[in-house]
Amino acid sequence: MRYKSQSVAYWYFAVAMVLFGLQLVFGLLSATKYLGPDPLLNILPFDVTKVIHTNLLIVWVLTGFMGATYWMVPDESRTELHSTKLAYIQLVLWTLMGVTAVIGYLFGYGTGNKLLEQPLPHKIVIVICMLIFLYNIGMTIRKSGRFTTTEGVLLLGLVSSAVLFFPALLHYENYTVSIFYRWWTIHLWVEGVWMMIMGAFLAYLLIRLSGADREVLEKWLYVIVGLVFIAGILGTAHHYYWVGVPYYWLPIGGFFSALEPLAIVGMAMYAYSAMRRSGLAHPNSLALHWTLGSTIFTLFGAGLLGLAHTWPSINKWTHGTLITAMHGHAAFYGAYAMIVLAMITYALPSLTNKRPEQGTTIGYWAFWLQLAGMFGMTLSFATAGIGQVYLERIMGMGYLDAQLKIQIHFVMLISTASIFATGVGLFIYDFFSYRPRFETLDNELMEPAVPADRVV
């Protein structure tokens, strides 16, 4: 690493890995409840395990975003972080918020607003952490006097994420109104501004891993992020089918949701073209696996599978079924989990002692097992969801009767999820196998200086 303050990122990554592991525990526990009698019904019912599973997903990915930003911004700005003390205070507050929120869910302490179940005190802590985070990053960029396009897109995505959390702070007595505004946070995060964050990380990694031209990649970044952001805003309306909005929102939502894969195709194309143009110029090939894998799996999960069920005439049958889970798992993993794991894999050789630059054997096993497991989980959700839609919404069968008919698909889900969990376990084991180091490396490969006309 170039700057000592980049070592802050290690501890954010470490917390993210612990939370990732816990998320999988509660995910597997939730899946097993579909198979029959539940001995933990009165201790950990399904609604509790699912709430913890989904909320840990949001928290660990955000933790990874923060760690990746604390690694990337000093590297891009070529200066030390403004305040490591503030970064550690933020991490402590953030971790305490996450731990106490999970404990609260175990005792039914939450708002019931899906993916935003945190009680108001916890949400206030989230706001405080985000303000500390944005201030620290903003001051780092300001004091450096160097502001790249990649940083600009990242900062815009982070600020927009904080602003879009505002609807989650408000309480609505009417549940339909609450659902309506919940999408202003959740959808505009995951299919809007988070894609900007992903795009920034992707551009950063490709510039360093492939040696491709910064100017070309950052021009692509403008096009891709612009299309994702516009399509993401209006595409939010595809969630409105069930909440009683005027009819015209349905074709608008369906049309712009259909445009979102175009941006993802562009992202995959520019990742591939970058490698074809310059060849592999960096020894960390494992990080390259995660980087390119993220673009391809995003195209599959967010693009193809999203398009497969969000058009209004299809969504009226599939909305709220296991088809949604199919799309959600593949899309979230490809777009956000994999890009965080790519940033971690790229940074770890500099953050730990004696770690091979090209990656470890365990690291490669972790990559392929996760990919195989998630693909299998996606197929399991898809087959179960198709059966569910037909039995419940076309044949009119009751929910519990339909679940008995599709139970075999949950056996497949748990089997493939176990493969995925093994891959995650290996990644976490590999992460903690090498001691962290905090000195800078004078002989580390540095990116060539960027001409002034390529820095905004």
Side-chain angles (χ1 to χ4, degrees):
M1 63 189 163
R2 299 182 185 182
Y3 305 101
K4 189 174 182 180
S5 58
Q6 286 180 287
S7 62
V8 169
Y10 177 86
W11 302 107
Y12 279 83
F13 292 153
V15 171
M17 289 298 94
V18 173
L19 296 177
F20 192 12
L22 283 175
Q23 186 217 348
L24 286 185
V25 170
F26 284 97
L28 284 168
L29 188 57
S30 298
T32 58
K33 293 177 182 293
Y34 281 90
L35 294 182
D38 181 8
L40 298 178
L41 179 62
N42 297 320
I43 303 172
L44 286 172
F46 177 79
D47 62 317
V48 172
T49 58
K50 183 182 177 183
V51 164
I52 295 175
H53 174 66
T54 54
N55 278 269
L56 281 173
L57 169 64
I58 299 292
V59 174
W60 90 255
V61 167
L62 284 172
T63 308
F65 282 173
M66 292 172 181
T69 302
Y70 279 136
W71 169 268
M72 171 181 152
V73 168
D75 199 28
E76 285 283 289
S77 295
R78 297 178 182 171
T79 187
E80 293 286 358
L81 194 63
H82 171 68
S83 173
T84 55
K85 183 178 180 181
L86 277 178
Y88 285 122
I89 291 172
Q90 174 200 335
L91 180 60
V92 171
L93 287 175
W94 182 260
T95 306
L96 287 175
M97 178 279 300
V99 170
T100 55
V102 169
I103 294 172
Y105 299 147
L106 293 173
F107 295 96
Y109 183 52
T111 64
N113 198 7
K114 187 179 178 182
L115 296 173
L116 297 171
E117 284 96 347
Q118 307 87 10
L120 184 59
H122 290 77
K123 289 178 178 176
I124 292 173
V125 174
I126 292 173
V127 171
I128 293 171
C129 289
M130 287 303 297
L131 290 175
I132 294 173
F133 178 54
L134 293 174
Y135 171 79
N136 210 356
I137 294 303
M139 291 300 294
T140 301
I141 295 172
R142 181 183 177 184
K143 79 174 184 179
S144 73
R146 184 177 190 270
F147 190 39
T148 66
T149 299
T150 305
E151 280 182 308
V153 171
L154 175 62
L155 192 59
L156 180 58
L158 293 171
V159 171
S160 300
S161 297
V163 171
L164 289 169
F165 189 65
F166 178 75
L169 299 174
L170 304 178
H171 175 72
Y172 308 96
E173 293 294 337
N174 187 299
Y175 184 63
T176 301
V177 174
S178 178
I179 291 176
F180 179 87
Y181 285 113
R182 177 167 66 87
W183 292 120
W184 285 28
T185 297
I186 295 301
H187 179 96
L188 291 177
W189 269 2
V190 302
E191 295 186 57
V193 296
W194 280 20
M195 291 299 289
M196 301 171 74
I197 297 171
M198 179 209 176
F201 290 149
L202 181 61
Y204 169 82
L205 287 167
L206 286 173
I207 289 168
R208 280 154 178 77
L209 291 172
S210 71
D213 184 75
R214 174 184 284 270
E215 185 177 18
V216 173
L217 292 183
E218 291 187 339
K219 284 180 178 177
W220 261 106
L221 194 56
Y222 279 126
V223 176
I224 291 167
V225 170
L227 185 54
V228 167
F229 193 48
I230 294 170
I233 290 174
L234 293 175
T236 305
H238 79 250
H239 293 290
Y240 291 169
Y241 185 90
W242 299 96
V243 296
V245 299
Y247 179 79
Y248 59 77
W249 278 115
L250 301 183
I252 290 174
F255 175 75
F256 281 96
S257 290
L259 288 181
E260 290 177 30
L262 296 180
I264 300 164
V265 169
M267 189 175 291
M269 288 176 60
Y270 107 73
Y272 179 73
S273 65
M275 300 308 303
R276 287 293 301 269
R277 284 164 59 91
S278 60
L280 180 60
H282 197 283
N284 195 338
S285 58
L286 182 56
L288 181 65
H289 277 64
W290 283 110
T291 303
L292 295 182
S294 176
T295 63
I296 295 168
F297 218 89
T298 300
L299 173 60
F300 167 65
L304 297 179
L305 297 184
L307 180 60
H309 90 110
T310 54
W311 193 255
S313 59
I314 299 172
N315 189 236
K316 69 179 181 180
W317 301 104
T318 62
H319 193 92
T321 68
L322 292 165
I323 295 293
T324 304
M326 167 201 75
H327 164 54
H329 278 74
F332 224 107
Y333 177 70
Y336 305 123
M338 288 188 77
I339 201 66
V340 169
L341 298 181
M343 288 294 292
I344 292 173
T345 304
Y346 174 74
L348 271 185
S350 297
L351 289 172
T352 53
N353 283 306
K354 299 180 180 180
R355 180 179 295 272
E357 183 79 6
Q358 70 275 14
T360 64
T361 302
I362 292 176
Y364 284 100
W365 272 102
F367 173 80
W368 290 112
L369 285 174
Q370 285 188 47
L371 230 60
M374 182 54 68
F375 186 73
M377 289 169 62
T378 302
L379 292 181
S380 302
F381 277 123
T383 52
I386 292 168
Q388 181 187 16
V389 169
Y390 180 77
L391 293 173
E392 288 183 27
R393 300 196 170 170
I394 296 177
M395 298 297 293
M397 186 178 289
Y399 173 79
L400 292 178
D401 291 332
Q403 291 300 311
L404 288 175
K405 300 292 185 183
I406 63 175
Q407 204 170 55
I408 184 61
H409 298 297
F410 284 93
V411 175
M412 186 168 75
L413 174 66
I414 292 171
S415 300
T416 53
S418 298
I419 296 172
F420 178 75
T422 302
V424 173
L426 288 176
F427 190 98
I428 295 172
Y429 173 81
D430 191 48
F431 179 93
F432 289 108
S433 292
Y434 296 84
R435 292 187 298 107
R437 69 178 176 204
F438 307 115
E439 72 276 7
T440 58
L441 300 179
D442 295 330
N443 61 344
E444 188 164 4
L445 212 58
M446 305 284 279
E447 182 197 5
V450 178
D453 61 350
R454 296 187 189 175
V455 181
V456 295

